[in-house]
Amino acid sequence: MSKLKNITHDLYKVDQIKYTKYLIKDCSAKKKEYILDKSKEDAVDIKNIGYVSLYYNQNPLIYVTTPVMVCLFGLDKRTKQMSLQFTNLESNSEMKSFFDFIENVEVNNMKNLGIDEENYDKYINQIRYDKDRKYDPNLSVKVPFVNNRYDIDIYSKDYDIINIENICNFTKMRCDIYIDKIWKW
């Protein structure tokens, strides 16, 4: 029995994603407070930008279920990130369609932040390539970590108990991922 949301990427129209900017109220304060920015200024040009929220039909989380992808190296416990490979990108139409969706979301993000060819280095793409482009690209995903624990549910048809920290290299998995905010740092 699948416990995934099974929300396919084709349910979204990327150009209908809305963006809301939040400023850091006092940059010198230890505990950061954020306030809504209603200006028309591009987020990339605002010095005290905190983050930009993404919305789709009033929903602050854009959920999507990945196709079966290979988790190349398990969880990086230091960064709380995983690399999911777009395996067989050229021959798998489902994978290619998902890749195109992620790529289109990233292009849309950059456009809405005010990022272009001149300041492209201010945006960290979640699609990663090896330096020689010898292998299929990867999707870098951050695993939610809240209140000193991973805020996830994880299931396996082969094992009763599985822990995110024990995922082996090259494990095949489908994930519910979400896009919610773009942080300056």
Side-chain angles (χ1 to χ4, degrees):
M1 178 167 139
S2 176
K3 300 191 188 215
L4 291 168
K5 293 183 183 300
N6 290 312
I7 300 174
T8 59
H9 63 278
D10 58 354
L11 297 175
Y12 295 104
K13 292 185 172 115
V14 173
D15 61 342
Q16 291 182 9
I17 296 173
K18 303 293 180 216
Y19 297 81
T20 306
K21 299 173 290 191
Y22 289 87
L23 308 175
I24 300 172
K25 189 174 181 179
D26 178 1
C27 293
S28 63
K30 249 187 179 171
K31 185 172 169 45
K32 302 291 183 225
E33 289 182 60
Y34 301 96
I35 55 174
L36 179 65
D37 175 41
K38 294 182 180 177
S39 76
K40 299 289 183 196
E41 191 173 358
D42 286 335
V44 72
D45 296 328
I46 301 173
K47 296 214 182 302
N48 65 327
I49 189 78
Y51 64 91
V52 176
S53 279
L54 284 72
Y55 294 87
Y56 194 86
N57 290 340
Q58 307 302 319
N59 189 345
L61 297 174
I62 301 170
Y63 275 103
V64 65
T65 304
T66 69
V68 175
M69 299 177 82
V70 174
C71 180
L72 292 175
F73 313 112
L75 174 72
D76 181 329
K77 294 173 186 148
R78 185 181 57 81
T79 64
K80 314 277 190 280
Q81 293 186 17
M82 295 180 2
S83 262
L84 303 176
Q85 188 175 52
F86 293 99
T87 311
N88 301 319
L89 183 58
E90 296 307 317
S91 61
N92 181 329
S93 60
E94 179 188 18
M95 190 67 71
K96 176 70 172 138
S97 180
F98 180 67
F99 174 85
D100 290 344
F101 168 75
I102 297 294
E103 194 170 58
N104 289 335
V105 167
E106 298 241 309
V107 167
N108 197 55
N109 289 349
M110 288 186 279
K111 181 179 92 179
N112 280 281
L113 294 170
I115 294 177
D116 54 28
E117 287 116 23
E118 291 179 20
N119 56 9
Y120 181 76
D121 61 329
K122 293 186 177 186
Y123 186 84
I124 298 175
N125 199 308
Q126 297 309 114
I127 298 174
R128 311 283 167 83
Y129 294 87
D130 64 286
K131 66 179 181 171
D132 298 326
R133 293 198 178 219
K134 185 175 171 182
Y135 302 103
D136 286 325
N138 307 321
L139 176 62
S140 178
V141 295
K142 188 163 181 107
V143 178
F145 191 78
V146 180
N147 296 326
N148 210 27
R149 69 185 253 338
Y150 293 101
D151 189 18
I152 60 165
D153 294 321
I154 187 166
Y155 305 97
S156 171
K157 64 181 177 187
D158 299 325
Y159 304 99
D160 289 336
I161 300 173
I162 190 164
N163 183 319
I164 187 75
E165 293 182 347
N166 297 332
I167 291 178
C168 300
N169 296 357
F170 307 107
T171 298
K172 291 183 179 182
M173 57 177 48
R174 290 185 71 203
C175 303
D176 282 332
I177 61 174
Y178 64 87
I179 308 162
D180 65 343
K181 292 177 179 73
I182 302 170
W183 290 89
K184 184 171 180 176
W185 293 277

